[in-house]
Amino acid sequence: MSTTVAGIVFIVSLIVVLALVHRPLGDYMYRVYTGTRHNRVERGVYRLLGVRPEVEQTWGVYARSLLAFSVVSVIVLYALQRLQDKLFLSLGLGPVTDHVAWNTAISFVTNTNWQAYAGESTMGQLTQMAGLAVQNFVSASVGMAVAIALVRGFARNRTDLLGNFWVDLVRGCVRVLLPIAFAGALVLVAGGVIQNLAEPQTVTTLTGGTQAITGGPVASQEAIKELGTNGGGFYNVNSAHPFENATSWTNWFEIFLILLIPFALPRTFGRMVGQVRQGHAILAVMATIALASVVLTNVFELAGNATVPQAVGAAMEGKEVRFGVSNSATFAAATTLTSTGAVDSSHDSFTPLGGMMTLTNMMLGEVAPGGVGAGLYGMLILAVVTVFVAGLMVGRTPEYLGKKIGAREIKLASLYFLVTPALVLTGTALAMGSAELRASMLNSGPHGFSEVLYAFTSASNNNGSAFGGLTVNTPWYDVALGLCMAFGRFLPIILVLALAGSLARQAPVPASAGTLPTHRPQFVGMVVGVTIVLVALTFLPALALGPLAEGLV
Amino acid sequence: MSSPVLPAPGPARGPKRNGRIGGGLLDPKQVMRSLPDAVKKLNPATLWRKPVMLIVEIGAVFSTALAILDPSMFAWAIVVWLWLTVLFANLAEAVAEGRGKAQAATLRAAKRDTMARRLRPGSAAGDGSAKDRSVGDGSVGEGSAAEGFTWDVVGAGELRPGDRVIVEAGEIIPGDGDVIDGIASVDESAITGESAPVIRESGGDRSAVTGGTKVLSDRIIVAITQNPGESFIDRMIALVEGANRQKTPNEIALDILLAALTIIFLVATVTMQPLAIYAKSVNPGIADSVALGADGVTGIVLVSLLVCLIPTTIGALLSAIGIAGMDRLVQRNVLAMSGRAVEAAGDVSTLLLDKTGTITLGNRQASEFQAASGVAPADLAEAAQLASLADATPEGRSIVVYAKQAYGLRERQAGELAQAAWVPFTAQTRMSGVDVDGRQVRKGAATAVMKWIRDHGGHPTDEVGHLVDGISASGGTPLVVGEVADGKARVLGVIHLKDVVKQGMRERFDEMRRMGIRTVMITGDNPLTARAIAGEAGVDDFLAEATPEDKLALIRKEQEGGRLVAMTGDGTNDAPALAQADVGVAMNTGTSAAKEAGNMVDLDSNPTKLIEIVEIGKQLLITRGALTTFSIANDVAKYFAIIPAIFAAVYPGLDALNVMRLASPQSAILSAVVFNALVIIALIPLALRGVRYRPSSASKLLSRNLYVYGLGGIVAPFIGIKIIDLFVRFLPGMS
């Protein structure tokens, strides 16, 4: 089998399996979030938290609960890192430095999982399990909760209530993430991923040197790392490490886990608004962009349009031999199309245009299919903007799913899509404007610039993958990227919840022949167009000076 | 409810061809006239209402300063075109306003300072008919008449609501009000442009008079209802001038989107600077260019890029589109009290239409004679004609006409028959007829004639009952013809009176359905009749035996379901429904209460106009959406012009983006700026006229507009910029 054919089989099999699974999983999540019964575990948690699960919240209360929960999470995670040497299972590692601890706390609470540290040599077992792994679950569940709240805004009429944040949070963890992650971890163990609490083993290498090999609860973390589109690896090299990602088929399985929930949520959305075809349309937008991106990344990588790859015959630098070019490219596309940020290869070593694809995927706002929950709400915001412009062209005040898109709605949607580009571009400009900060760049010229641009794009979009090459565990980068992650996560969330509140209050407008149909290929094409044009217009100057300058020769 | 009588519903004035909405074209003379206004609008204090253009102006000022400090041909060319961009935007608005101003001038001419004869309190007006009273010559100071009228002559400006004035033939009505006594024909051409006079009378639904109109005959007493300066004509002037134009909800929403895009592009251009400086610094061997130096992208080029990217096209034309939309309504003789109402018209999903005058011709007409058994059809026709000669109602006339058309019966005049005793039609007897040569003939409402037959000893057969029921069931009105001859009373037959649906209504309603608008016919008829006419006209639903309360309830019900409702009305009892409807069009012939309650007034009093109003509302929104899409789509090409122009020197690979093969960086940047400015001028006529609109489904409309304005918006600037570059490259300083 040639590499190209292998790559195609790899991608097609992923598509087939995702197509089969998205429907039952989407329906299941629909039942999870619309059900009225609470199981015993959940009731226990509510009692512990002092929450009355049957009381619904307005958007303001929902947002405040979410923010309060996140602030507490940051504090706990920060404390765990700073005090790990005083607690147990520390592996003898000392406290994490203050700026790295802050950056990491923000990073895991915002579902970014940017790692300004080397996993196995910084974090003890307790921090990994009670801190980072817990956030892998809850931060993902927070994202889903926000998406569900927005969908309720579309589905409900004449109400202020959007559901109960605590219920959504707990259900997402208990009923969706935990069972799938558990099963996923078993599969990964079967594939050779390790799961233990062993002390580091010191081995003598072939060259005669010594190496300390850290064991740990890797498979369990790995499963939720991908499933929750988190991306924070147990090991510094993330999914390139054989203990995290042993074989080509675990690589396939990890990509599957990454895409599983984001591609199933549109189905949940369709069920909740009572029009499955609307979910299909959103899914089609995501799938179109994702497929185009995966194919382009593969094409650029396989063509190997750069000096070194052409000299050696393939763009293998920075890629694991057990995965090969195509599977690495597909993983890279999947991880940046979602907010995962796990990597099984070094994006820094990609061909310039292949690297540009990973950047562009994130710049799209990670909506195709995006992070768990975050992808859906980001895509719905884009649909709202599209409806606004297109809706005018059919001669009516724009409406989406029976809700009018008026001044308040468009204000919230506009602010939403302002936040991330502003953070990315401002952060990049500040970093590039100072000679001292430029010293962090490993390369100079367009490639060095791409490293900085990638860092801010990844942090602001809550992706968490690193291009590499850039030394980011300096106080300035830790703080700046931490701020980008925090604002890039919570400002959009607040705006989305406000939008949900405003939509839920409206009375529905019945659909007629004069209403813009939002379930046809026409609309799908338009949302794809708007997404790409908006991103292209915002980021073209930056991309031109980075990957394009390097890649167009 | 009553139907409007004058003027007869006819084709709307103003340009309307092939069923599509046209509008004014750009007249060079008008552009020249608007130029001074456009220059005045450069004042930032007025320009802040258009934030996108304010940014352009700030950029232009900044560039001018840079050009003065470091003059070059290129810099000055850019500066000139930046200023022209702002000027063109102002011109669009000024031209749109100019058309309204012309209209206002005509109205002002009607608003001469008239004198009024104000009745003194206690004067005897209103206690009887004002007819046949002569009024003394009281043209100066004060006066009195034999019937006890006394008045003061005051200026129209001194009249206050509640004052009563007396107006005679030849005089101008001094202010808005209601006729409380008398009847007069009034020339309202000053406001409606319609030269046929209209009747205004006290009581009923035709009592409202408008200040500035002229009484042609008779004398009326008017109770003033408005303070000076708030009169209808004043409001009209303010409206067409756009003096206190408020932004409509959708305009505000669009403004927000444009502001957000502007901010994004501002961030994108400003943050480019450190990246540019870095890019230049890592390629030290490359000489400075007009676009890029050691300090980064030059100020003028940065401004050019920003101006090209922010949505200037729609930002420049947005207000002109709104003004022109109102103007298109005015051209059709409809006054919208707010832009909000025009916008709502585009969203209307339920249209309430009065049957009479809108869907059907005003009156029922005879369409068939059904003879009773044993009666020759010709005899029935002859009797029907004879009985109807004394019936002056339109229905009665139609029987005479039908008898002539269908049976060749010569129309006889009432005077032809000697010793005939004519029995005219009255609302009480509901019959008309004649007694001649010992024969009595009657025609009229079924119950009335049947009773008359029985009173004369006759016994109507069951057959007649069946005929009557059959006609009723088909939606028609049965009139029974009976005679008493030789002491024997019998029914001769039944006349079928039928509502005649106006031509082309079914097609209009089909169009409406395709646009997603539900049409509901409102009628006072019984449900049977209503159903038949509704079926014939092709409306979606009907409300029979409608009272004003029913109408209001229907509107509320529709609105509960999230639908927007439009209706027309003219009577005082329509006022609550007009106020409740999202778009309430009052007929100018109607009462002041109706005109106050509605948010539009149709000066032609043509209820069919509602359909056109909806189309204009839709066209307004489509024009906004189309130009926004066009504006954003344009940006793609501008990037392809400017980015390689700035950076190809340091990163030669980027020259691949110069797909238009523009001559030099200078000519590329200048061409993009020139295109950006010219496209505003090119689109002014479209903004004023509105995008072509033909009723069809949302999906079809969208496809078409997406191709034209989306795809066209991407392609057009590539061609436009290339063409401009072919000329600009020959300017000095372009290489």
Side-chain angles (χ1 to χ4, degrees):
Chain A
M1 213 162 37
S2 78
T3 47
T4 312
V5 175
I8 291 173
V9 169
F10 190 87
I11 295 167
V12 170
S13 57
L14 261 175
I15 294 174
V16 170
V17 175
L18 284 170
L20 288 175
V21 171
H22 91 275
R23 202 174 145 155
L25 180 59
D27 288 344
Y28 172 69
M29 287 193 286
Y30 163 72
R31 287 194 298 277
V32 166
Y33 286 106
T34 53
T36 49
R37 310 252 297 262
H38 311 285
N39 65 32
R40 200 178 300 156
V41 179
E42 289 165 355
R43 277 199 300 273
V45 177
Y46 300 144
R47 216 166 297 135
L48 204 67
L49 290 171
V51 171
R52 285 167 55 202
E54 67 286 350
V55 179
E56 296 216 343
Q57 299 169 321
T58 61
W59 82 263
V61 178
Y62 201 103
R64 281 199 293 279
S65 308
L66 187 154
L67 291 177
F69 174 72
S70 301
V71 168
V72 171
S73 296
V74 170
I75 294 170
V76 169
L77 196 49
Y78 182 84
L80 265 177
Q81 294 176 74
R82 300 284 286 155
L83 300 174
Q84 69 170 349
D85 55 327
K86 315 247 179 343
L87 302 167
F88 39 91
L89 284 176
S90 72
L91 299 178
L93 296 166
V96 183
T97 53
D98 53 359
H99 55 89
V100 172
W102 133 269
N103 184 286
T104 306
I106 294 285
S107 169
F108 276 73
V109 170
T110 57
N111 196 243
T112 311
N113 307 46
W114 172 266
Q115 291 168 294
Y117 60 91
E120 66 273 35
S121 58
T122 315
M123 303 294 172
Q125 309 282 38
L126 183 71
T127 315
Q128 293 265 23
M129 289 191 298
L132 305 183
V134 166
Q135 282 308 319
N136 279 352
F137 280 95
V138 292
S139 71
S141 191
V142 164
M144 291 201 283
V146 174
I148 294 296
L150 177 60
V151 176
R152 287 193 188 118
F154 282 110
R156 294 180 174 187
N157 302 311
R158 299 192 189 91
T159 177
D160 283 331
L161 302 175
L162 291 178
N164 185 312
F165 167 72
W166 305 104
V167 172
D168 292 340
L169 174 72
V170 171
R171 284 188 184 175
C173 288
V174 173
R175 298 197 207 172
V176 180
L177 296 171
L178 269 172
I180 306 178
F182 183 76
L186 291 183
V187 174
L188 286 171
V189 169
V193 178
I194 63 163
Q195 178 78 8
N196 59 42
L197 286 174
E199 292 289 314
Q201 286 179 292
T202 308
V203 294
T204 310
T205 63
L206 288 176
T207 51
T210 57
Q211 186 185 2
I213 296 177
T214 314
V218 179
S220 58
Q221 289 226 36
E222 193 68 11
I224 188 62
K225 175 187 103 179
E226 316 295 10
L227 181 70
T229 61
N230 291 291
F234 191 90
Y235 294 103
N236 190 30
V237 293
N238 212 301
S239 288
H241 197 292
F243 286 179
E244 283 201 22
N245 192 0
T247 61
S248 186
W249 76 260
T250 54
N251 192 44
W252 183 97
F253 185 68
E254 290 191 5
I255 298 177
F256 167 73
L257 283 180
I258 288 174
L259 300 175
L260 183 59
I261 293 178
F263 270 129
L265 275 170
R267 170 83 189 178
T268 312
F269 158 73
R271 289 292 304 273
M272 284 182 75
V273 298
Q275 295 181 60
V276 173
R277 57 189 190 176
Q278 300 287 354
H280 289 161
I282 293 296
L283 181 65
V285 177
M286 291 177 169
T288 309
I289 298 177
L291 191 62
S293 172
V294 168
V295 169
L296 280 175
T297 314
N298 268 285
V299 166
F300 290 140
E301 285 309 295
L302 289 170
N305 240 340
T307 325
V308 177
Q310 277 173 354
V312 300
M316 276 307 291
E317 182 200 311
K319 296 193 177 75
E320 291 294 307
V321 179
R322 66 182 187 282
F323 304 142
V325 175
S326 174
N327 295 2
S328 301
T330 305
F331 193 105
T335 196
T336 48
L337 280 166
T338 59
S339 76
T340 312
V343 288
D344 74 350
S345 55
S346 168
H347 295 181
D348 197 14
S349 303
F350 272 38
T351 60
L353 296 181
M356 181 180 77
M357 287 313 299
T358 61
L359 258 173
T360 314
N361 288 340
M362 292 187 283
M363 287 168 174
L364 289 170
E366 290 169 0
V367 289
V372 283
L376 180 63
Y377 64 70
M379 181 53 77
L380 289 176
I381 295 274
L382 282 165
V384 164
V385 174
T386 307
V387 159
F388 183 74
V389 176
L392 284 177
M393 280 198 288
V394 303
R396 280 172 75 112
T397 304
E399 60 211 45
Y400 183 49
L401 301 171
K403 297 302 174 87
K404 286 210 176 227
I405 309 303
R408 182 175 161 79
E409 289 76 23
I410 204 68
K411 181 166 70 193
L412 295 168
S414 300
L415 284 173
Y416 178 98
F417 75 68
L418 258 175
V419 172
T420 354
L423 289 173
V424 172
L425 292 173
T426 313
T428 309
L430 286 176
M432 294 304 293
S434 142
E436 189 191 339
L437 298 175
R438 283 204 301 269
S440 279
M441 296 178 348
L442 178 70
N443 301 76
S444 78
H447 198 80
F449 165 67
S450 294
E451 291 166 357
V452 176
L453 179 64
Y454 194 104
F456 281 96
T457 307
S458 174
S460 306
N461 283 294
N462 299 136
N463 185 276
S465 66
F467 206 45
L470 188 70
T471 310
V472 286
N473 57 353
T474 67
W476 189 85
Y477 272 106
D478 277 339
V479 173
L481 293 174
L483 288 174
C484 281
M485 289 187 273
F487 288 132
R489 172 77 166 179
F490 294 112
L491 286 181
I493 281 182
I494 293 169
L495 294 166
V496 165
L497 290 174
L499 179 67
S502 152
L503 293 170
R505 265 197 299 278
Q506 289 189 24
V509 182
S512 73
T515 313
L516 170 78
T518 52
H519 60 274
R520 303 223 178 119
Q522 180 190 45
F523 184 74
V524 171
M526 265 173 28
V527 181
V528 171
V530 165
T531 309
I532 292 172
V533 168
L534 272 184
V535 170
L537 294 180
T538 314
F539 291 108
L540 197 68
L543 288 175
L545 293 174
L548 281 176
E550 194 188 355
L552 296 174
V553 182
Chain B
M1 69 159 289
S2 79
S3 59
V5 175
L6 281 170
R13 295 180 325 121
K16 183 173 193 312
R17 293 169 212 101
N18 318 331
R20 59 173 270 218
I21 300 193
L25 288 167
L26 198 58
D27 173 10
K29 266 187 247 153
Q30 204 175 10
V31 173
M32 291 315 292
R33 267 203 307 277
S34 306
L35 211 49
D37 277 337
V39 175
K40 266 186 232 152
K41 283 172 190 285
L42 289 175
N43 182 352
T46 52
L47 207 58
W48 73 266
R49 276 176 65 95
K50 292 192 281 185
V52 178
M53 295 325 291
L54 187 64
I55 300 263
V56 181
E57 185 169 50
I58 293 170
V61 172
F62 178 62
S63 306
T64 312
L66 290 177
I68 292 170
L69 292 175
D70 181 18
S72 73
M73 185 66 197
F74 169 70
W76 280 110
I78 294 280
V79 165
V80 167
W81 280 96
L82 288 179
W83 281 110
L84 281 177
T85 309
V86 192
L87 197 66
F88 290 165
N90 291 343
L91 197 62
E93 194 178 68
V95 169
E97 284 174 352
R99 303 205 306 181
K101 279 189 180 135
Q103 199 111 22
T106 341
L107 286 170
R108 279 220 178 77
K111 200 181 160 247
R112 280 167 306 202
D113 207 11
T114 46
M115 298 307 278
R117 287 191 278 163
R118 183 171 65 191
L119 295 180
R120 285 180 183 156
S123 191
D127 57 358
S129 166
K131 280 215 175 96
D132 305 324
R133 291 177 192 165
S134 65
V135 178
D137 180 12
S139 56
V140 220
E142 57 183 83
S144 64
E147 309 85 354
F149 286 116
T150 51
W151 63 78
D152 301 310
V153 174
V154 296
E158 291 172 46
L159 293 174
R160 291 293 174 272
D163 285 352
R164 294 169 305 159
V165 295
I166 185 163
V167 194
E168 284 202 321
E171 291 179 338
I172 302 283
I173 297 172
D176 292 0
D178 284 315
V179 180
I180 54 168
D181 191 53
I183 177 168
S185 60
V186 178
D187 173 10
E188 294 195 337
S189 60
I191 50 167
T192 63
E194 180 63 55
S195 54
V198 294
I199 302 294
R200 292 285 177 249
E201 61 186 332
S202 62
D205 289 339
R206 284 181 288 149
S207 61
V209 288
T210 310
T213 56
K214 190 176 180 184
V215 174
L216 293 179
S217 70
D218 303 291
R219 188 186 66 181
I220 46 175
I221 291 170
V222 175
I224 298 294
T225 53
Q226 291 290 346
N227 278 317
E230 297 166 11
S231 73
F232 189 61
I233 221 163
D234 287 311
R235 277 188 290 161
M236 259 183 92
I237 292 172
L239 276 170
V240 295
E241 275 192 335
N244 34 25
R245 210 176 80 81
Q246 300 284 316
K247 281 186 181 172
T248 59
N250 176 258
E251 237 177 322
I252 293 171
L254 192 50
D255 260 338
I256 292 171
L257 182 74
L258 298 183
L261 286 171
T262 307
I263 294 170
I264 284 200
F265 292 130
L266 200 61
V267 172
T269 17
V270 170
T271 57
M272 200 175 76
Q273 193 64 302
L275 323 188
I277 295 172
Y278 173 72
K280 187 75 175 49
S281 71
V282 292
N283 293 283
I286 302 212
D288 288 359
S289 71
V290 255
L292 188 61
D295 302 330
V297 181
T298 57
I300 286 190
V301 172
L302 214 52
V303 170
S304 304
L305 177 62
L306 177 65
V307 168
C308 284
L309 291 182
I310 60 176
T312 46
T313 316
I314 181 66
L317 298 173
L318 188 55
S319 62
I321 294 170
I323 298 168
M326 296 282 269
D327 195 48
R328 277 200 295 283
L329 276 179
V330 173
Q331 284 169 25
R332 276 164 190 73
N333 262 358
V334 176
L335 288 183
M337 297 307 165
S338 69
R340 188 185 278 261
V342 187
E343 225 172 74
D347 282 350
V348 160
S349 42
T350 306
L351 216 51
L352 304 190
L353 297 164
D354 276 328
K355 183 199 78 177
T356 311
T358 311
I359 295 171
T360 62
L361 295 172
N363 308 296
R364 289 144 194 260
Q365 295 180 352
S367 65
E368 193 185 2
F369 293 145
Q370 297 179 354
S373 54
V375 178
D379 292 344
L380 170 63
E382 189 264 343
Q385 185 212 38
L386 200 59
S388 302
L389 288 175
D391 183 358
T393 62
E395 286 84 0
R397 299 298 309 154
S398 80
I399 295 172
V400 177
V401 169
Y402 181 73
K404 183 178 170 188
Q405 284 170 350
Y407 293 86
L409 291 180
R410 188 177 60 85
E411 187 178 340
R412 287 173 287 190
Q413 297 304 313
E416 281 179 39
L417 297 168
Q419 295 120 26
W422 298 100
V423 182
F425 178 86
T426 69
Q428 282 74 40
T429 61
R430 297 191 295 155
M431 287 192 300
S432 68
V434 65
D435 297 347
V436 64
D437 303 335
R439 179 181 177 219
Q440 292 174 296
V441 189
R442 295 289 183 275
K443 75 110 232 302
T447 48
V449 177
M450 305 276 231
K451 182 170 181 298
W452 179 78
I453 297 278
R454 282 192 204 95
D455 290 349
H456 287 77
H459 299 283
T461 56
D462 285 350
E463 183 208 359
V464 177
H466 289 312
L467 286 178
V468 167
D469 290 346
I471 291 171
S472 294
S474 73
T477 308
L479 292 183
V480 175
V481 183
E483 69 166 1
V484 179
D486 313 324
K488 218 179 106 211
R490 63 170 181 153
V491 172
L492 295 173
V494 186
I495 304 169
H496 186 170
L497 283 187
K498 199 174 154 186
D499 263 313
V500 182
V501 173
K502 282 186 183 173
Q503 279 211 321
M505 289 319 281
R506 179 172 271 279
E507 290 72 27
R508 287 315 278 277
F509 294 139
D510 287 344
E511 273 180 7
M512 293 277 130
R513 204 165 298 118
R514 281 199 294 278
M515 288 156 64
I517 296 174
R518 223 164 69 86
T519 44
V520 181
M521 182 182 85
I522 308 287
T523 172
D525 292 339
N526 63 58
L528 267 181
T529 314
R531 182 183 308 280
I533 298 166
E536 191 181 345
V539 292
D540 296 312
D541 201 356
F542 63 88
L543 180 66
E545 287 169 349
T547 62
E549 292 75 30
D550 292 342
K551 247 168 140 169
L552 192 59
L554 176 66
I555 294 174
R556 290 225 169 99
K557 198 182 106 217
E558 292 283 319
Q559 287 172 334
E560 280 289 292
R563 281 180 273 267
L564 260 62
V565 183
M567 67 166 287
T568 56
D570 55 1
T572 301
N573 53 21
D574 283 334
L578 278 172
Q580 179 73 34
D582 300 281
V583 178
V585 184
M587 300 291 106
N588 192 43
T589 49
T591 58
S592 342
K595 279 152 90 172
E596 279 296 316
N599 45 19
M600 291 192 196
V601 175
D602 178 16
L603 300 174
D604 292 340
S605 304
N606 170 9
T608 320
K609 199 77 78 62
L610 199 50
I611 298 172
E612 276 177 61
I613 293 172
V614 168
E615 291 183 359
I616 289 175
K618 286 197 174 291
Q619 199 191 22
L620 178 75
L621 292 170
I622 294 175
T623 309
R624 278 193 202 134
L627 291 183
T628 306
T629 308
F630 187 82
S631 195
I632 298 171
N634 268 208
D635 283 2
V636 177
K638 292 171 194 163
Y639 262 135
F640 278 92
I642 297 182
I643 293 289
I646 302 176
F647 294 115
V650 281
Y651 295 132
L654 291 179
D655 197 45
L657 294 180
N658 183 8
V659 288
M660 288 172 272
R661 308 318 306 163
L662 304 175
S664 69
Q666 292 94 317
S667 78
I669 295 165
L670 183 59
S671 300
V673 172
V674 170
F675 176 83
N676 193 49
L678 286 183
V679 83
I680 295 175
I681 282 283
L683 290 175
I684 291 178
L686 185 71
L688 296 185
R689 196 181 61 229
V691 164
R692 193 168 73 107
Y693 174 70
R694 216 173 255 159
S696 59
S697 74
S699 195
K700 273 192 203 136
L701 260 179
L702 182 61
S703 288
R704 183 183 170 277
N705 289 327
L706 269 182
Y707 279 118
V708 177
Y709 300 98
L711 208 57
I714 291 179
V715 176
F718 278 101
I719 301 167
I721 292 174
K722 177 70 189 169
I723 293 174
I724 294 169
D725 181 73
L726 291 176
F727 292 98
V728 161
R729 65 173 73 191
F730 298 113
L731 288 179
M734 284 301 137
S735 52

